[in-house]
Coordinates of all heavy atoms in Angstrom, one line a residue:
M1 N 0.9 -1.2 0.0 CA 0.0 0.0 0.0 C 0.9 1.2 0.0 O 2.0 1.2 0.6 CB -0.9 -0.1 1.3 CG -1.5 1.2 1.7 SD -2.5 1.0 3.2 CE -3.2 -0.6 3.2
L2 N 0.4 2.3 -0.6 CA 1.2 3.5 -0.7 C 0.4 4.5 0.2 O -0.7 4.8 0.0 CB 1.2 4.0 -2.1 CG 2.3 5.1 -2.5 CD1 3.7 4.5 -2.2 CD2 2.2 5.5 -3.9
V3 N 1.1 5.0 1.2 CA 0.5 6.0 2.2 C 1.3 7.3 2.2 O 2.5 7.2 2.5 CB 0.4 5.4 3.6 CG1 -0.2 6.4 4.6 CG2 -0.3 4.1 3.6
N4 N 0.7 8.3 1.7 CA 1.4 9.6 1.6 C 2.7 9.5 0.8 O 3.7 10.1 1.2 CB 1.6 10.3 3.0 CG 0.3 10.8 3.6 OD1 -0.8 10.7 3.0 ND2 0.3 11.3 4.8
G5 N 2.7 8.7 -0.2 CA 3.8 8.5 -1.1 C 4.9 7.6 -0.6 O 5.9 7.4 -1.2
N6 N 4.6 6.9 0.5 CA 5.6 5.9 1.1 C 5.0 4.5 1.1 O 3.8 4.4 1.4 CB 6.0 6.3 2.5 CG 6.6 7.6 2.6 OD1 7.6 7.9 1.9 ND2 6.1 8.5 3.5
D7 N 5.8 3.5 0.7 CA 5.3 2.1 0.8 C 5.1 1.7 2.2 O 5.9 2.1 3.1 CB 6.4 1.2 0.2 CG 6.4 1.3 -1.3 OD1 5.3 1.5 -1.9 OD2 7.5 1.2 -1.9
M8 N 4.0 1.0 2.4 CA 3.7 0.5 3.8 C 3.2 -0.9 3.6 O 2.3 -1.2 2.8 CB 2.6 1.3 4.4 CG 2.3 0.9 5.8 SD 1.2 2.2 6.6 CE 1.3 1.6 8.3
E9 N 3.8 -1.8 4.3 CA 3.4 -3.3 4.3 C 2.3 -3.5 5.3 O 2.3 -3.1 6.5 CB 4.6 -4.1 4.7 CG 5.7 -4.1 3.6 CD 5.4 -4.8 2.4 OE1 4.6 -5.9 2.4 OE2 5.8 -4.4 1.3
T10 N 1.2 -4.2 4.9 CA 0.2 -4.7 5.8 C -0.1 -6.1 5.5 O 0.2 -6.6 4.4 CB -1.1 -3.8 5.6 OG1 -1.6 -4.0 4.2 CG2 -0.9 -2.4 5.9
K11 N -0.6 -6.8 6.5 CA -1.0 -8.2 6.3 C -2.5 -8.3 5.9 O -3.3 -8.2 6.8 CB -0.7 -9.0 7.6 CG 0.8 -9.0 7.8 CD 1.1 -9.8 9.1 CE 2.5 -9.9 9.2 NZ 3.4 -10.0 10.1
G12 N -2.7 -8.4 4.6 CA -4.1 -8.5 4.2 C -4.8 -7.2 4.2 O -4.2 -6.1 4.3
S13 N -6.1 -7.2 4.2 CA -6.9 -6.0 4.1 C -7.0 -5.4 5.6 O -7.1 -6.1 6.5 CB -8.3 -6.2 3.6 OG -8.2 -6.6 2.3
I14 N -7.0 -4.1 5.6 CA -7.3 -3.4 6.9 C -8.2 -2.2 6.7 O -8.3 -1.7 5.5 CB -6.0 -2.9 7.6 CG1 -5.3 -1.8 6.8 CG2 -5.1 -4.1 8.0 CD1 -4.1 -1.2 7.5
S15 N -8.9 -1.8 7.7 CA -9.8 -0.7 7.5 C -9.0 0.6 7.7 O -7.9 0.6 8.2 CB -10.9 -0.7 8.6 OG -10.3 -0.4 9.9
V16 N -9.6 1.7 7.2 CA -9.0 3.0 7.3 C -8.7 3.3 8.8 O -7.7 3.7 9.2 CB -9.9 4.1 6.7 CG1 -9.4 5.5 7.1 CG2 -10.0 4.0 5.2
K17 N -9.7 3.0 9.7 CA -9.5 3.2 11.1 C -8.3 2.4 11.7 O -7.5 2.9 12.5 CB -10.8 2.7 11.9 CG -10.7 2.8 13.4 CD -10.6 4.2 13.9 CE -10.7 4.1 15.4 NZ -10.0 5.2 16.1
Q18 N -8.2 1.1 11.2 CA -7.0 0.3 11.7 C -5.7 0.9 11.2 O -4.7 0.9 12.0 CB -7.2 -1.1 11.2 CG -8.3 -1.9 11.8 CD -8.5 -3.2 11.2 OE1 -8.6 -3.3 9.9 NE2 -8.7 -4.3 12.0
L19 N -5.7 1.4 10.0 CA -4.5 2.1 9.5 C -4.1 3.3 10.3 O -3.0 3.5 10.7 CB -4.7 2.5 8.0 CG -3.5 3.3 7.4 CD1 -2.2 2.4 7.4 CD2 -3.9 3.8 6.0
L20 N -5.1 4.1 10.6 CA -4.8 5.3 11.4 C -4.4 4.9 12.8 O -3.4 5.6 13.3 CB -6.1 6.2 11.5 CG -6.6 6.8 10.2 CD1 -7.9 7.5 10.3 CD2 -5.5 7.8 9.6
D21 N -5.0 3.9 13.4 CA -4.6 3.5 14.7 C -3.1 3.0 14.7 O -2.3 3.3 15.6 CB -5.5 2.4 15.3 CG -6.9 2.9 15.7 OD1 -7.0 4.2 15.8 OD2 -7.8 2.1 15.9
L22 N -2.8 2.2 13.7 CA -1.5 1.6 13.5 C -0.4 2.7 13.4 O 0.7 2.6 13.9 CB -1.4 0.7 12.2 CG -0.2 0.0 11.9 CD1 0.2 -1.0 12.9 CD2 -0.3 -0.6 10.5
M23 N -0.8 3.8 12.7 CA 0.1 4.9 12.5 C 0.1 5.9 13.7 O 0.8 6.9 13.7 CB -0.2 5.6 11.2 CG 0.0 4.8 10.0 SD -0.5 5.6 8.4 CE 0.9 6.8 8.3
G24 N -0.8 5.7 14.7 CA -0.9 6.6 15.8 C -1.5 8.0 15.5 O -1.2 9.0 16.1
I25 N -2.4 7.9 14.5 CA -3.1 9.2 14.1 C -4.5 9.3 14.6 O -5.3 8.4 14.5 CB -3.1 9.2 12.5 CG1 -1.7 9.2 12.0 CG2 -3.9 10.4 12.0 CD1 -1.6 9.1 10.5
D26 N -4.8 10.5 15.2 CA -6.1 10.8 15.7 C -7.1 11.0 14.5 O -6.9 11.9 13.8 CB -6.0 12.0 16.6 CG -7.4 12.4 17.1 OD1 -8.4 11.8 16.9 OD2 -7.4 13.5 17.8
D27 N -8.0 10.1 14.4 CA -8.9 10.2 13.2 C -9.9 11.4 13.2 O -10.5 11.7 12.2 CB -9.7 8.9 13.1 CG -10.7 8.6 14.2 OD1 -10.9 9.5 15.1 OD2 -11.3 7.5 14.1
S28 N -9.9 12.1 14.3 CA -10.8 13.3 14.4 C -10.2 14.5 13.7 O -10.9 15.5 13.5 CB -11.2 13.6 15.8 OG -10.1 14.1 16.5
A29 N -8.9 14.5 13.4 CA -8.2 15.7 12.9 C -7.6 15.5 11.5 O -6.7 16.2 11.1 CB -7.1 16.1 13.9
V30 N -8.1 14.5 10.8 CA -7.6 14.2 9.5 C -8.7 14.0 8.5 O -9.8 13.6 8.8 CB -6.6 13.0 9.5 CG1 -5.4 13.2 10.3 CG2 -7.3 11.7 9.9
V31 N -8.3 14.1 7.2 CA -9.1 13.7 6.1 C -8.4 12.6 5.4 O -7.2 12.7 5.2 CB -9.4 14.8 5.1 CG1 -10.1 14.3 3.9 CG2 -10.3 15.9 5.8
V32 N -9.0 11.5 5.0 CA -8.4 10.4 4.3 C -9.0 10.3 2.9 O -10.2 10.2 2.7 CB -8.6 9.1 5.1 CG1 -8.0 7.9 4.4 CG2 -8.0 9.2 6.5
E33 N -8.0 10.2 1.9 CA -8.4 9.9 0.6 C -7.8 8.5 0.2 O -6.7 8.2 0.5 CB -7.8 10.9 -0.4 CG -8.1 10.7 -1.8 CD -7.3 11.6 -2.7 OE1 -7.7 12.8 -2.7 OE2 -6.4 11.2 -3.4
A34 N -8.7 7.6 -0.3 CA -8.2 6.3 -0.7 C -8.6 6.1 -2.2 O -9.8 6.2 -2.5 CB -8.9 5.2 0.2
D35 N -7.6 5.8 -3.0 CA -7.8 5.6 -4.4 C -8.6 6.7 -5.0 O -9.6 6.4 -5.7 CB -8.4 4.2 -4.6 CG -7.6 3.1 -4.0 OD1 -6.3 3.1 -4.2 OD2 -8.1 2.2 -3.3
C36 N -8.2 7.9 -4.8 CA -8.8 9.1 -5.4 C -10.3 9.4 -4.9 O -11.0 10.1 -5.6 CB -8.8 9.0 -6.9 SG -7.1 8.9 -7.5
R37 N -10.7 8.8 -3.8 CA -12.0 9.1 -3.2 C -11.9 9.5 -1.7 O -11.1 8.8 -1.0 CB -12.9 7.8 -3.3 CG -13.2 7.4 -4.8 CD -13.9 6.2 -4.9 NE -15.2 6.3 -4.2 CZ -16.0 5.2 -3.9 NH1 -15.5 4.0 -4.3 NH2 -17.1 5.3 -3.3
I38 N -12.5 10.6 -1.4 CA -12.5 11.0 0.0 C -13.4 9.9 0.8 O -14.5 9.6 0.4 CB -13.2 12.4 0.2 CG1 -12.4 13.4 -0.6 CG2 -13.2 12.7 1.7 CD1 -11.0 13.6 -0.1
V39 N -12.8 9.4 1.9 CA -13.5 8.5 2.7 C -14.3 9.2 3.8 O -13.7 10.0 4.6 CB -12.5 7.5 3.4 CG1 -13.2 6.5 4.3 CG2 -11.6 6.8 2.4
P40 N -15.6 9.0 3.8 CA -16.4 9.7 4.9 C -16.0 9.2 6.2 O -15.7 8.0 6.4 CB -17.8 9.2 4.5 CG -17.8 8.8 3.1 CD -16.4 8.3 2.9
R41 N -15.9 10.1 7.2 CA -15.4 9.7 8.5 C -16.3 8.6 9.1 O -15.7 7.7 9.8 CB -15.5 10.9 9.4 CG -14.8 10.7 10.8 CD -14.7 12.0 11.6 NE -14.3 13.2 10.9 CZ -13.1 13.5 10.5 NH1 -12.1 12.7 10.8 NH2 -12.9 14.6 9.8
D42 N -17.6 8.5 8.9 CA -18.4 7.5 9.4 C -18.2 6.1 8.7 O -18.8 5.1 9.2 CB -19.9 7.9 9.4 CG -20.5 8.1 8.0 OD1 -19.7 8.2 7.0 OD2 -21.7 8.1 7.8
K43 N -17.3 6.1 7.7 CA -17.0 4.8 7.0 C -15.6 4.3 7.4 O -15.2 3.3 6.8 CB -17.1 5.0 5.5 CG -18.5 5.4 5.0 CD -19.5 4.4 5.2 CE -20.9 4.8 4.6 NZ -22.0 4.0 5.1
Y44 N -14.9 5.0 8.2 CA -13.5 4.6 8.5 C -13.4 3.2 9.0 O -12.4 2.5 8.7 CB -12.9 5.5 9.6 CG -12.4 6.9 9.1 CD1 -12.6 7.3 7.8 CD2 -11.7 7.8 9.9 CE1 -12.2 8.6 7.3 CE2 -11.3 9.0 9.4 CZ -11.6 9.4 8.2 OH -11.1 10.6 7.7
N45 N -14.4 2.7 9.8 CA -14.3 1.3 10.3 C -14.6 0.3 9.3 O -14.1 -0.9 9.4 CB -15.3 1.2 11.5 CG -14.8 1.8 12.8 OD1 -13.6 1.7 13.1 ND2 -15.7 2.4 13.5
E46 N -15.3 0.6 8.3 CA -15.7 -0.4 7.3 C -15.0 -0.3 5.9 O -15.0 -1.2 5.1 CB -17.2 -0.4 7.1 CG -17.8 0.9 6.6 CD -19.3 1.0 6.8 OE1 -19.7 1.1 8.0 OE2 -20.0 1.0 5.8
W47 N -14.4 0.9 5.6 CA -13.7 1.1 4.3 C -12.4 0.3 4.4 O -11.5 0.6 5.1 CB -13.4 2.5 4.2 CG -13.1 2.9 2.8 CD1 -11.9 2.6 2.1 CD2 -13.8 3.7 1.9 NE1 -11.9 3.2 0.8 CE2 -13.1 3.9 0.7 CE3 -15.0 4.4 2.0 CZ2 -13.6 4.6 -0.4 CZ3 -15.5 5.1 0.9 CH2 -14.8 5.2 -0.3
L48 N -12.3 -0.7 3.5 CA -11.1 -1.6 3.5 C -10.1 -1.2 2.5 O -10.4 -0.8 1.4 CB -11.5 -3.1 3.2 CG -12.4 -3.7 4.3 CD1 -12.7 -5.1 3.9 CD2 -11.7 -3.7 5.7
L49 N -8.8 -1.3 2.9 CA -7.7 -1.0 2.1 C -6.9 -2.3 1.9 O -6.9 -3.2 2.8 CB -6.8 0.0 2.8 CG -7.5 1.3 3.3 CD1 -6.6 2.1 4.2 CD2 -7.9 2.2 2.1
D50 N -6.2 -2.4 0.8 CA -5.3 -3.6 0.6 C -4.0 -3.1 0.0 O -3.7 -1.9 0.0 CB -6.0 -4.6 -0.3 CG -6.4 -4.1 -1.7 OD1 -5.6 -3.2 -2.2 OD2 -7.3 -4.5 -2.2
E51 N -3.2 -4.1 -0.4 CA -1.8 -3.8 -0.8 C -1.8 -2.9 -2.1 O -0.8 -2.2 -2.3 CB -1.0 -5.1 -1.0 CG -1.5 -6.0 -2.2 CD -2.6 -6.9 -1.7 OE1 -2.9 -7.0 -0.5 OE2 -3.2 -7.5 -2.6
A52 N -2.9 -2.8 -2.8 CA -2.9 -2.0 -4.0 C -3.4 -0.6 -3.8 O -3.4 0.2 -4.7 CB -3.8 -2.7 -5.1
S53 N -3.9 -0.3 -2.5 CA -4.5 1.0 -2.2 C -3.4 2.1 -2.2 O -2.3 1.9 -1.9 CB -5.1 0.9 -0.9 OG -6.2 0.0 -0.8
R54 N -3.9 3.3 -2.6 CA -3.1 4.5 -2.6 C -3.9 5.4 -1.6 O -5.0 5.8 -2.0 CB -2.9 5.1 -3.9 CG -2.1 4.2 -4.9 CD -1.9 4.9 -6.2 NE -1.0 4.1 -7.0 CZ 0.3 4.2 -7.1 NH1 0.9 5.1 -6.3 NH2 1.0 3.5 -7.9
V55 N -3.2 5.8 -0.5 CA -3.9 6.5 0.5 C -3.2 7.8 0.8 O -1.9 7.9 0.8 CB -3.9 5.7 1.8 CG1 -4.6 6.4 2.9 CG2 -4.6 4.3 1.6
E56 N -3.9 8.9 0.9 CA -3.4 10.2 1.3 C -4.1 10.6 2.6 O -5.3 10.5 2.7 CB -3.6 11.3 0.3 CG -2.8 11.1 -1.0 CD -1.3 11.3 -0.8 OE1 -0.9 12.1 0.0 OE2 -0.6 10.5 -1.5
I57 N -3.3 10.9 3.7 CA -3.9 11.3 4.9 C -3.4 12.8 5.1 O -2.2 13.1 5.1 CB -3.3 10.5 6.1 CG1 -3.7 9.0 5.8 CG2 -3.9 11.0 7.4 CD1 -3.0 8.0 6.8
V58 N -4.4 13.7 5.2 CA -4.2 15.1 5.4 C -4.6 15.5 6.7 O -5.8 15.3 7.1 CB -4.9 15.9 4.3 CG1 -4.6 17.4 4.4 CG2 -4.5 15.4 2.9
A59 N -3.7 16.2 7.5 CA -4.0 16.6 8.9 C -4.3 18.1 8.8 O -3.8 18.9 8.1 CB -2.8 16.4 9.8
F60 N -5.3 18.5 9.7 CA -5.6 19.9 9.8 C -4.6 20.6 10.7 O -4.2 20.0 11.8 CB -7.0 20.1 10.5 CG -8.1 19.5 9.6 CD1 -8.8 18.4 10.0 CD2 -8.5 20.1 8.4 CE1 -9.8 17.8 9.2 CE2 -9.5 19.6 7.7 CZ -10.1 18.5 8.0
V61 N -4.1 21.8 10.4 CA -3.2 22.5 11.1 C -3.7 23.9 11.4 O -4.1 24.6 10.5 CB -1.8 22.6 10.4 CG1 -0.8 23.4 11.2 CG2 -1.3 21.2 10.1
G62 N -3.8 24.3 12.7 CA -4.2 25.6 13.0 C -3.1 26.6 12.9 O -2.0 26.3 12.9
G63 N -3.5 27.8 12.8 CA -2.5 28.9 12.7 C -3.2 30.2 12.3 O -4.4 30.3 12.1
G64 N -2.4 31.2 12.2 CA -3.0 32.4 11.8 C -2.1 33.5 11.3 O -1.0 33.3 11.0

């Protein structure tokens, strides 16, 4: 799987939520795009990713 441009090995399919947990990312502060589609936050537990998936995780950053 390709995550933010970096190869990542996973064993079989995992959900978006499992990927975020594995990476230590708080799912309330990010937007996830999988295979050119924005993943709705309420689908993180059921949206499955596999070794062919291309994922972009974008974090919100405050500032002014």
Side-chain angles (χ1 to χ4, degrees):
M1 161 181 328
L2 199 61
V3 179
N4 288 357
N6 299 308
D7 285 323
M8 182 170 193
E9 294 287 326
T10 59
K11 294 182 177 156
S13 297
I14 63 171
S15 70
V16 169
K17 174 68 171 151
Q18 289 170 315
L19 175 64
L20 294 173
D21 289 347
L22 181 67
M23 296 178 70
I25 297 174
D26 177 5
D27 65 6
S28 68
V30 296
V31 172
V32 178
E33 177 187 291
D35 302 316
C36 300
R37 295 176 59 196
I38 300 295
V39 180
R41 190 173 317 281
D42 64 345
K43 302 290 184 195
Y44 283 5
N45 283 319
E46 58 194 71
W47 195 292
L48 295 180
L49 307 167
D50 60 31
E51 64 276 352
S53 296
R54 292 181 177 271
V55 180
E56 292 291 326
I57 302 169
V58 180
F60 297 108
V61 178

